[in-house]
Each structure stands twice: as C-alpha cells, then as structure tokens.
Amino acid sequence: HVDDAGLVVSTVDQQMRKVKARLVEMFPRDSLQLHGIILVSSVSGENINLLRETIQFVIGKFDFIGEEVPSTFLILEELVRETAAGDSSYPVLTRDSFFRMASHCGIRSVEQVEKAAKLMHQYGAIVYFHRDKLLRNYIFLDPNWIMDVMASLFTTRHSWVKQGLLFHSVLNQIWKDYSPSLRLQLMLLLQKFEIAYPLNQLQVSSLSSSLRITGLSGDASLVPALLPSVPPLGISLVSEARKWSTLSHKTVFHRQLHYKFVPAGLFSKILVRIIAVGGTVSVPWTHGIRVDSLDSGSRGSDKSG
C-alpha cells in the first residue's frame, strides 16, 4: 500500500462482480482509500493489462523507486535478517540499538539511518512506526512475528479473554512464549492496531459488573472483537423506550436508522470513544452499545446494528 491506500485484486467470478458493484455503488471513489478493485482471469487474460498498468502506477508513487540504494543499506538489511533469525522469540530492537547497528554498517548520520529504516519498512524488511510517538522507539525485525502476536489473543485454546475483557494478570499465560521484557511493546502493538484498549479501574469495575465477570480484578484492557456477539435478553431499542416511558410517566421518543452497510469495527470505535470521554456503558456487545448518560442520570438510547 502507499499512504494507506491499497489495491484489491481478485479472480473473476460472479460473486466478486457483485461485491465490486456494491462497493462502487455505496461508497464515493475516494472514501475506500483504494487505488482500485481489479478482477482478473489468468485463463482469458481479462484485466491483466489493467492490473500491470495499475501496479506500475502505484509503484511509481514510492519515493525510493529509481534511487540507487547505498551498499551500506544492504549490509544493514543483511545484518537485520541475521539478528532476527538468531533470536526469533525476541525480534525487536530499541531505536538506539538499531542506530548503533547502522553505525557499525557505515551509516553515520541520523538522517541516513532514518532513511534506511523507512526504506526497509516500505519494502517489508522491518516494521518501523516512525510517526507513533511511543512505538517509534522500537524496530520490529520480523513482520510475521507481529502477526503472531496479534493472533495470540484469538487463537489461544484457553479463554483468557473474558467477555471482551483482557485482564493483565493472565498475560503471562497468553504470552508465555515471549520474554516478559516485551510486555510493554506487545501491549502498544495491540493498541496501535486497535485490537485492545487500556481501561482505568473504574471502567474495569463498571464493565465487569455489566458483563457479569467474577473472580478477576486488576488492570485490564477492552478487546471489542471478543465481546458477546448478542445483547442480553430483553435489550432492544423499542423495549428500552417503552420501559423508561412507563417508569418516568413521560413519552419517550426514539429513532431507528437502517443502513445497508456498517463498516467493520464501527461499534468498537464508538464504544472506546464513549468510554474515553467519561460515558458509562452499561451493556456492550459486538454490534451494539447501551449507554447511561452521566449528565442527568437519564438512560441513553441503544446504538445497535
């Protein structure tokens, strides 16, 4: 991808034609952040030339295309590979360590080391989050290792994440194959990829109560993708409106909006934002939220999909 814009390529079939047509119909061209959606066939040759031309266009937007790569950069890349292979369980360097490694390869200036790191990141040799004020202090030598870390929460045989809450006391079990010294970096990665969000003690207590989690306490993070997939029985926008209309002896108005498409992760972002600004989420699930307003003590309507 270039500047977070991707290129979707798929084999031609009727289903994918429908998917492409729906995406084009529902979204403005720029909103998808894509250079294109191209359906190709190696049998008939359909769109092969278009794919080739698009790839050439996308590659041409990289700053480093056509530049001569200094031999010192190549020496550094080889050293990075050797280092990653030598300790596959700890393929992470601090930024200072990486700079010292570059210095040994003959790259002296900070500007040149930065350029080498960004270049290696662009073509996938390392992962370097140079724009992130916390993660920029670490250089990840093996991109595949990061994917393994991300998957560890979802592929573990044990249900360490309870109803969407990841209590930090169980991280030793989840990440038993990783060095304890990596814990901070691993948590930062989960936050960077919007997989987990740290909570304060009040938020942990509130969500533990609403999700009926017992026997666990302490620091925790929210993992929205692992929240319950369905709301508790009786929770619906209509039922809540009727309930509070009866209790308050007032007419309660509500609104239902029906969308053809809701982006993946929308409700997790809304949920995290509400928690961040001090809202009280009484009932969260994968595709919805019931919010209690802190202002007047009145109950807010459901946001559910």
Side-chain angles (χ1 to χ4, degrees), residues 230-250:
V230 295
L233 292 176
I235 296 295
S236 73
L237 199 152
V238 175
S239 67
E240 288 293 293
R242 288 174 178 170
K243 175 181 176 181
W244 289 101
S245 176
T246 301
L247 291 176
S248 63
H249 304 290
K250 297 178 181 178

Side-chain angles (χ1 to χ4, degrees), residues 170-189:
V170 303
L171 289 176
N172 287 333
Q173 286 80 15
I174 296 177
W175 289 332
K176 61 183 179 181
D177 295 330
Y178 301 104
S179 168
S181 61
L182 276 177
R183 191 65 39 79
L184 173 61
Q185 294 96 309
L186 297 181
M187 289 305 300
L188 288 174
L189 283 173

Side-chain angles (χ1 to χ4, degrees), residues 75-77 79-81 83-84 93 95-107 141:
I75 296 171
L76 175 60
E77 180 185 356
L79 184 55
V80 163
R81 286 190 181 132
T83 304
L93 290 177
R95 190 166 178 266
D96 289 342
S97 296
F98 182 81
F99 275 45
R100 285 195 295 271
M101 180 185 290
S103 179
H104 291 318
C105 296
I107 307 174
L141 308 183

Side-chain angles (χ1 to χ4, degrees), residues 63-175:
D63 295 335
F64 60 84
I65 295 299
E67 286 188 16
E68 290 188 5
V69 178
S71 60
T72 51
F73 286 20
L74 301 178
I75 296 171
L76 175 60
E77 180 185 356
E78 185 60 31
L79 184 55
V80 163
R81 286 190 181 132
E82 291 176 1
T83 304
D87 190 358
S88 58
S89 64
Y90 191 85
V92 183
L93 290 177
T94 64
R95 190 166 178 266
D96 289 342
S97 296
F98 182 81
F99 275 45
R100 285 195 295 271
M101 180 185 290
S103 179
H104 291 318
C105 296
I107 307 174
R108 306 300 181 188
S109 71
V110 173
E111 292 76 13
Q112 282 296 97
V113 178
E114 279 282 341
K115 184 175 181 179
K118 291 176 182 178
L119 178 62
M120 293 170 66
H121 170 84
Q122 284 182 306
Y123 59 70
I126 63 172
V127 176
Y128 176 40
F129 301 103
H130 65 279
R131 292 191 181 95
D132 190 292
K133 64 180 181 180
L134 295 177
L135 282 173
R136 73 187 308 269
N137 294 318
Y138 304 100
I139 308 292
F140 299 91
L141 308 183
D142 183 1
N144 291 329
W145 179 84
I146 293 182
M147 299 308 299
D148 292 339
V149 171
M150 301 298 100
S152 62
L153 294 184
F154 303 95
T155 59
T156 179
R157 294 181 180 179
H158 303 283
S159 301
W160 297 117
V161 182
K162 303 295 184 182
Q163 300 282 76
L165 283 188
L166 168 62
F167 286 88
H168 297 179
S169 58
V170 303
L171 289 176
N172 287 333
Q173 286 80 15
I174 296 177
W175 289 332

Side-chain angles (χ1 to χ4, degrees), residues 214-233:
T214 59
L216 289 170
S217 60
D219 294 336
S221 294
L222 177 68
V223 184
L226 295 179
L227 283 167
S229 58
V230 295
L233 292 176

Side-chain angles (χ1 to χ4, degrees), residues 20 37-39 46-55:
K20 177 180 178 180
I37 304 173
I38 303 177
L39 309 183
E46 181 178 349
N47 286 334
I48 294 295
N49 286 336
L50 174 61
L51 175 60
R52 182 184 299 111
E53 292 169 1
T54 304
I55 290 175

